[in-house]
Amino acid sequence: MKFSRTCLAVLLLLCSTAAWAQTTSSLTGHVVTEGSALPGVTVTISSPAMQGTRTAYTDVNGNFIFGAVPPGDFTVKFEMESMQPVTRHAVVGLGQTGRADAELKLSAVAEAITVTASAPAVLETQEIQTNVKQELVEDLPVGRTFQAQASIAPNVNTNTPTPGQLVISGAPAHENLYMVNGAVINENLRSQIHNLFIEDAIQEQTVLTGAISAEYGRFTGGVVNAITKSGGNEFSGSIRDSLTNNNWTTKTPDPHQPDPTDHIDSVYEATLGGRIVRDRLWFFGAARSAKIGTDNFLTNSNVKFQAVSKNTRYEGKLTGQITPKHSVVVSYLDIKNPQTGVCLFGCYEFSSIDPSRETPNSFKTAHYSGILTDSVLVEANWSKKFFAFVDGGGPTADFAHGSWGLDLNEGQFFGAPVFCSDCGSEQRNNKTWDLKLSYYLASKSLGTHSVSAGYQDWAEQHISNNYQSGSNFGVYTFGEQTPVSGPNDTFHPVISPNRDIIVWFPIFELTKGSNFVTRSLYVNDKWDLNTHWGFTLGLRYDKNNGKDASGFTRANDSTFEPRLGATYDVLGNGRLRFNASYSKYAAKIAETVGNGATGAGNPAYIFYRYRGPAINAPGCTPGTANCGVDTVTAFQTMYNWFQSQGGVNGVQPFFGVIPGLNTKILGSLKSPDVNEVTLGAGSQIGKGFVRLDLINRNWGNFYANRVDQSTGQVVDQFGNPNDIQQIFTSDQNLERTYRAASIQAAYPFTQHVQFGANYTYAKTRGNVTAETPGVGPVPETIFQYPEYKAFAENNPVGFLPSDETNKVRAWATWAVPTHVGNFVFSALERIDTGTPYSALLQIDPSQYLPESVTSYYAGAPSSVNYYLDGQRGNHRWDTVNALDLSINYKLRVGRAELYLEPELINAFNQAAKIAGSTTVFSAVNDSHLEPFNPFTEKPVLGKNYRFSSTFGQARNASDYALMRTYRVSFGARF
């Protein structure tokens, strides 16, 4: 019978899965007497965060472990007959392993109970991690968003193409994992962070940036994991009002910046938690209401408009103990978010601003944990997330009023808002369930093993008919546009015949809904061989099955991801450790790529060369035909010409991309991956710590797109030949690397004075950006029309836009108790190296290619990239250097604590230019310049290219980092 139970345990280990580290933590330790391991000690833990108490016994090696404990402050009591009991305090962070060691002495020798603090959890593991507790967020002048708090950690920055994302350890911004209460809150297509939380409800957040456990998957960057509060035996709650005002921000150096809107915006929050049945059933609820107006500016001008978001959030959570060994946690969060004044990608005029849209969002989660025996623990997770776009986009099917224009030089829009407001909603949902088994095994010769294994089933769904505009038409322009100069000025788009383009976006097949699934197995052994050596032996297996919106399988691959690590404890007491690890991480299949070969729900792009009259031509005389006209009139003129030529049935398109026709996915898409090696060292210094980590990462399996003379052609329904594009994964001539050294430290100088800091020196280099603004993950195009790009300056290796060479976060808090209340003074220093940008030409090499090449392709590019001097990222925006200050005043009134938190961001008002114009002109977009042969010649300034008059300069106030800003919160807690 014993043998059968052992076999059953092993079988479950091989077939179960991972949720434990996503919502809970563990607590471990080692007990000795006179330097020798002491087995059989009774270890009892208790915490305000945990229902009841739990008890374990030290094994033959003197070790113990408690799995699936909630994060929080723990009291650990060690007891053994004839020994003096010892009590220690341990702080356990979310997803971390806390430690509480003890030395027991005979009762006749010891004189008193020993009460001591535990070693910092950050030294317990080779994982590179940072734990951000709510108490620290309340004291520091730091933003209360997911991104702002995660940005405190080393190896993290916000240099992303799309707002609402993070770069973690050099990865593309869409290849990170964000979780709240075990639910993934990533948006499906671009992996933006959805704000599925209420700030005052967050208990803590852990950021993992390297040497990450096999329990986590579907990323190549890092993991940001948060948990909300759970109530408790005692009733507690809070009320907060956070006030901001655009007028409380100092103007930027831009001399044309208008005065900001003087209006106070409030964010109201309330939380309440407590017991329904003591130690058996707890509740927690929270609510948030905000109406926030953000000052934005029309592109390259200082004409101001406001984006207004009315955001209401509700959360409910129950924590129940079925028996002392079985517990359940369920939670629900719902968001209503109507918005007005939305400019998605940059707008030249007010008509491009979306007047209204809604983005409802919600998730449900459930977590179960059960202690089957003293050595076996089982856990299960389930979550489901809903997100949709409702309304938003062009309001009419009329070409003149429902179409948008795109200035391809600046990437900015004019005309109607992007997308279609009357074409149905779009949904981006996910759901997951996982099962995990943990097994604890100890032997005198092989040390102590804490083995976890599990199965995870992840699925994300996308239901969308992606209409690009209200009219199904758009306009592409290549000429330099003149921005409006005042709120009453009219934008006059420059439209040039034989250069600019009319684009038709028909959807020929409606979506069936895409479904991308990853099923995973993993096993992870945390092996403490002795007091000096510890190892992590982990292996993860991911199996992808992705069906596109037509129902065709586009991904059917699998990958093994080893996660191996070793730790050497020099003194054997956890105070000085060295560690090393090797890990492989694999991302999920990107939906934007997996759906790239289907027409279902995806628009075709049919390009027609506009050959009608010039509109608003430079130097034209206002009042004459087609001069000084607005966008609606310009578009109507273009449409009249287009229809006079027969429209889509009469004008011959010069290029077309019809999804499902000329785009093919070769075999099965593979998961992008990265190989990582880390080295680290950490030491406890008094009550503080210091830790140094080195990270070396190399990415592979990049998405790529090939068009060459071997891929062939296909004729579309208009009789036009189209070059076939092949989507596949490749490492050939593609590179992305991350090299970093980071150090983090914390030290409590006194009970009232605390200090913390981290510094990262990093280089993110390569020739793979992997994502674009507004689109997200995209295939690399180096293999498209290779004859046109056969020069080194087309795609050189250099600094990528996400690079940040130096990053510093240093903070200090000083608590001052007084008779009239308690004050906490805090300061946060932020230093961020300027982000890189390139001097990039658009050139047309076709005249220097043989006719056999130019005549073969149906859709050869009219221009390709040329990096000046063959250097990528050789220019930098300004370094951001800012000191943030805050005062936290607390006054106790009975059981309640009243508080006031004024904050001053960028106290010394240091200006930093963080974006601007990067336009460089060539013969492609300036007829006064001469073309050059990129295969044999180097371009000459003034002859072959010129810099825009605004190159490297801020275009408007939005291109500067936040200037001196005042904000304040106040409320009460009990």
Side-chain angles (χ1 to χ4, degrees):
M1 180 64 69
K2 182 177 180 181
F3 176 79
S4 298
R5 290 176 178 174
T6 303
C7 291
L8 178 60
V10 171
L11 180 61
L12 288 171
L13 281 171
L14 294 175
C15 298
S16 52
T17 160
W20 176 33
Q22 297 173 6
T23 57
T24 57
S25 308
S26 61
L27 177 59
T28 188
H30 183 63
V31 182
V32 299
T33 181
E34 297 181 353
S36 299
L38 185 60
V41 176
T42 302
V43 185
T44 304
I45 61 171
S46 61
S47 170
M50 186 177 72
Q51 294 174 330
T53 63
R54 286 176 59 181
T55 300
Y57 301 92
T58 57
D59 60 30
V60 295
N61 301 307
N63 297 319
F64 70 91
I65 188 168
F66 293 91
V69 299
D73 296 336
F74 282 79
T75 298
V76 187
K77 190 171 184 179
F78 302 87
E79 298 174 295
M80 190 175 189
E81 188 177 353
S82 302
M83 295 285 182
Q84 183 70 35
V86 171
T87 300
R88 299 203 66 180
H89 297 301
V91 179
V92 182
L94 174 62
Q96 294 185 315
T97 299
R99 172 168 286 273
D101 296 332
E103 181 177 1
L104 270 59
K105 299 180 180 180
L106 293 172
S107 298
V109 176
E111 297 180 354
I113 295 176
T114 304
V115 181
T116 58
S118 62
V122 71
L123 302 180
E124 177 61 25
T125 175
Q126 77 261 13
E127 282 187 325
I128 304 173
Q129 57 180 240
T130 302
N131 184 253
V132 183
K133 294 187 178 299
Q134 186 70 9
E135 293 85 351
L136 180 65
V137 173
E138 290 172 354
D139 286 342
L140 290 182
V142 64
R144 303 176 70 238
T145 66
F146 219 67
Q147 299 94 314
Q149 295 177 27
S151 295
I152 293 177
N155 299 300
V156 179
N157 70 55
T158 57
N159 300 339
T160 66
T162 303
Q165 294 177 305
L166 295 168
V167 174
I168 301 180
S169 295
H174 62 272
E175 291 184 359
N176 299 312
L177 192 64
Y178 307 110
M179 293 186 295
V180 174
N181 291 343
V184 175
I185 62 170
N186 296 52
E187 179 271 339
N188 288 24
L189 301 190
R190 303 172 188 88
S191 285
Q192 293 161 285
I193 304 171
H194 278 164
N195 293 320
L196 281 162
F197 56 86
I198 296 168
E199 290 89 337
D200 258 9
I202 292 291
Q203 178 177 323
E204 60 185 88
Q205 178 176 297
T206 296
V207 184
L208 305 175
T209 60
I212 301 171
S213 165
E215 297 186 18
Y216 295 96
R218 306 187 312 279
F219 69 93
T220 69
V223 179
V224 184
N225 190 11
I227 191 169
T228 61
K229 298 173 184 178
S230 298
N233 283 327
E234 303 302 325
F235 291 96
S236 62
S238 65
I239 299 175
R240 175 190 291 266
D241 186 8
S242 300
L243 306 179
T244 58
N245 188 330
N246 293 316
N247 200 38
W248 294 349
T249 297
T250 305
K251 287 186 179 181
T252 71
D254 188 333
H256 304 292
Q257 180 181 352
D259 292 332
T261 303
D262 186 5
H263 180 270
I264 295 177
D265 294 317
S266 290
V267 178
Y268 302 101
E269 298 173 67
T271 69
L272 179 64
R275 67 179 183 272
I276 298 175
V277 179
R278 179 178 293 274
D279 277 336
R280 295 299 296 271
L281 183 60
W282 295 345
F283 75 91
F284 180 79
R288 179 187 190 273
S289 177
K291 181 181 178 181
I292 302 297
T294 303
D295 282 347
N296 290 325
F297 300 88
L298 297 182
T299 299
N300 292 351
S301 76
N302 285 293
V303 176
K304 183 177 62 177
F305 65 92
Q306 272 219 330
V308 178
S309 172
K310 298 178 181 180
N311 189 284
T312 305
R313 309 177 194 176
Y314 300 98
E315 181 189 358
K317 189 174 184 180
L318 290 174
T319 303
Q321 191 177 78
I322 303 171
T323 73
K325 293 186 177 183
H326 299 271
S327 62
V328 175
V329 181
V330 295
S331 69
Y332 175 72
L333 192 141
D334 182 75
I335 294 180
K336 299 293 187 292
N337 192 36
Q339 302 168 330
T340 60
V342 178
C343 175
L344 291 177
F345 308 113
C347 300
Y348 275 124
E349 57 181 339
F350 292 118
S351 62
S352 297
I353 300 170
D354 209 324
S356 66
R357 72 170 185 173
E358 293 188 35
T359 55
N361 206 345
S362 65
F363 73 64
K364 307 170 186 176
T365 73
H367 175 78
Y368 161 79
S369 64
I371 302 171
L372 303 186
T373 71
D374 290 341
S375 299
V376 180
L377 172 70
V378 64
E379 296 179 83
N381 251 15
W382 173 86
S383 69
K384 186 174 183 179
K385 175 177 173 290
F386 170 83
F387 174 70
F389 289 99
V390 180
D391 297 328
T396 175
D398 175 66
F399 185 99
H401 295 87
S403 304
W404 48 256
L406 171 61
D407 173 10
L408 290 175
N409 290 324
E410 294 282 352
Q412 306 296 308
F413 287 81
F414 55 94
V418 180
F419 303 125
C420 175
S421 63
D422 297 322
C423 301
S425 64
E426 175 183 357
Q427 293 187 25
R428 304 175 185 178
N429 308 323
N430 72 55
K431 58 184 178 180
T432 185
W433 66 271
D434 9 274
L435 177 68
K436 174 185 175 182
L437 195 73
S438 299
Y439 184 65
Y440 186 67
L441 175 67
S443 71
K444 199 69 175 176
S445 58
L446 295 178
T448 300
H449 297 262
S450 179
V451 182
S452 58
Y455 171 80
Q456 185 175 68
D457 191 288
W458 158 266
E460 60 181 25
Q461 301 82 36
H462 183 209
I463 303 172
S464 170
N465 290 306
N466 189 17
Y467 293 97
Q468 295 294 284
S469 71
S471 68
N472 272 356
F473 285 94
V475 173
Y476 287 175
T477 69
F478 294 88
E480 191 169 7
Q481 300 290 345
T482 301
V484 298
S485 57
N488 297 318
D489 190 13
T490 300
F491 180 70
H492 304 292
V494 177
I495 309 294
S496 298
N498 302 313
R499 183 189 66 186
D500 293 343
I501 297 168
I502 294 175
V503 191
W504 181 34
F505 308 114
I507 296 178
F508 295 120
E509 178 188 357
L510 297 182
T511 184
K512 296 178 180 178
S514 62
N515 190 35
F516 285 79
V517 177
T518 303
R519 296 182 174 92
S520 307
L521 290 166
Y522 83 90
V523 61
N524 199 74
D525 181 7
K526 186 179 182 301
W527 175 21
D528 293 319
L529 178 61
N530 51 46
T531 57
H532 294 287
W533 283 101
F535 302 93
T536 297
L537 306 176
L539 181 64
R540 184 181 181 89
Y541 172 76
D542 286 341
K543 172 67 175 175
N544 291 315
N545 185 279
K547 295 183 183 297
D548 67 16
S550 293
F552 295 111
T553 298
R554 300 303 187 187
N556 188 24
D557 80 310
S558 61
T559 181
F560 287 94
E561 304 158 47
R563 313 280 177 89
L564 308 174
T567 300
Y568 179 66
D569 190 328
V570 177
L571 305 175
N573 59 7
R575 292 182 175 271
L576 177 61
R577 293 187 174 190
F578 294 90
N579 58 73
S581 75
Y582 166 74
S583 301
K584 179 182 177 181
Y585 314 119
K588 68 182 181 69
I589 300 296
E591 280 195 41
T592 53
V593 180
N595 264 318
T598 179
N602 287 326
Y605 289 75
I606 313 298
F607 297 85
Y608 303 89
R609 190 78 68 186
Y610 173 66
R611 303 189 189 278
I615 303 173
N616 296 323
C620 70
T621 302
T624 61
N626 299 314
C627 186
V629 302
D630 61 13
T631 301
V632 171
T633 305
F635 282 0
Q636 188 64 56
T637 300
M638 297 182 75
Y639 184 68
N640 291 341
W641 170 84
F642 191 59
Q643 289 300 102
S644 72
Q645 304 300 307
V648 296
N649 297 316
V651 180
Q652 180 70 21
F654 73 90
F655 184 63
V657 177
I658 302 177
L661 174 72
N662 66 324
T663 305
K664 311 296 181 184
I665 291 179
L666 295 184
S668 170
L669 290 174
K670 297 181 179 179
S671 296
D673 59 33
V674 63
N675 287 282
E676 173 196 84
V677 175
T678 71
L679 297 174
S683 177
Q684 185 175 357
I685 303 173
K687 295 181 180 180
F689 75 91
V690 61
R691 173 167 174 161
L692 170 69
D693 290 287
L694 307 177
I695 301 178
N696 186 341
R697 285 185 166 190
N698 293 276
W699 274 261
N701 275 345
F702 302 103
Y703 299 122
N705 189 314
R706 176 189 290 121
V707 179
D708 59 30
Q709 295 191 51
S710 71
T711 56
Q713 295 179 338
V714 63
V715 177
D716 62 27
Q717 56 263 55
F718 308 103
N720 300 315
N722 286 256
D723 300 319
I724 293 178
Q725 303 180 41
Q726 296 177 340
I727 298 176
F728 60 106
T729 48
S730 175
D731 296 337
Q732 182 184 358
N733 298 323
L734 297 172
E735 180 179 329
R736 187 183 184 106
T737 62
Y738 181 73
R739 312 281 187 265
S742 65
I743 186 170
Q744 50 183 319
Y747 194 83
F749 288 99
T750 69
Q751 180 182 355
H752 300 299
V753 179
Q754 311 280 330
F755 169 80
N758 61 68
Y759 167 69
T760 305
Y761 175 78
K763 291 185 177 182
T764 307
R765 291 177 57 84
N767 58 7
V768 175
T769 56
E771 53 197 343
T772 59
V775 177
V778 293
E780 297 301 309
T781 59
I782 186 176
F783 304 110
Q784 285 189 340
Y785 308 101
E787 299 91 346
Y788 285 71
K789 303 174 182 179
F791 50 91
E793 294 83 0
N794 176 254
N795 196 38
V797 171
F799 287 104
L800 296 175
S802 58
D803 176 74
E804 183 175 358
T805 306
N806 297 284
K807 175 190 173 183
V808 175
R809 293 293 183 271
W811 60 90
T813 61
W814 177 31
V816 181
T818 72
H819 294 295
V820 293
N822 298 324
F823 294 84
V824 177
F825 301 93
S826 66
L828 171 65
E829 175 67 17
R830 297 178 286 117
I831 301 175
D832 296 279
T833 297
T835 55
Y837 64 98
S838 305
L840 182 63
L841 297 178
Q842 294 298 311
I843 65 168
D844 180 6
S846 59
Q847 62 182 295
Y848 306 105
L849 293 171
E851 185 181 356
S852 61
V853 172
T854 57
S855 62
Y856 175 81
Y857 293 115
S862 58
S863 65
V864 297
N865 290 339
Y866 186 100
Y867 287 83
L868 280 176
D869 301 320
Q871 297 186 45
R872 180 192 294 266
N874 59 323
H875 297 268
R876 294 268 176 176
W877 300 114
D878 296 341
T879 293
V880 176
N881 189 335
L883 177 66
D884 306 331
L885 304 173
S886 71
I887 301 173
N888 195 330
Y889 172 67
K890 305 173 184 178
L891 177 64
R892 177 65 61 179
V893 179
R895 284 198 59 205
E897 178 185 74
L898 307 180
Y899 65 89
L900 176 67
E901 301 175 1
E903 297 179 344
L904 188 61
I905 309 304
N906 192 3
F908 294 112
N909 202 35
Q910 294 176 284
K913 184 171 50 184
I914 58 173
S917 173
T918 61
T919 302
V920 185
F921 290 97
S922 67
V924 167
N925 44 21
D926 187 340
S927 60
H928 297 94
L929 296 170
E930 299 178 15
F932 66 96
N933 186 342
F935 309 104
T936 60
E937 299 178 87
K938 299 295 183 183
V940 177
L941 179 62
K943 176 183 178 182
N944 306 118
Y945 73 94
R946 68 175 177 89
F947 290 95
S948 166
S949 60
T950 58
F951 181 84
Q953 298 180 20
R955 295 161 296 189
N956 53 47
S958 299
D959 288 338
Y960 288 90
L962 186 67
M963 302 297 290
R964 182 190 292 126
T965 297
Y966 172 75
R967 61 194 185 206
V968 63
S969 298
F970 62 91
R973 306 183 187 97
F974 68 91

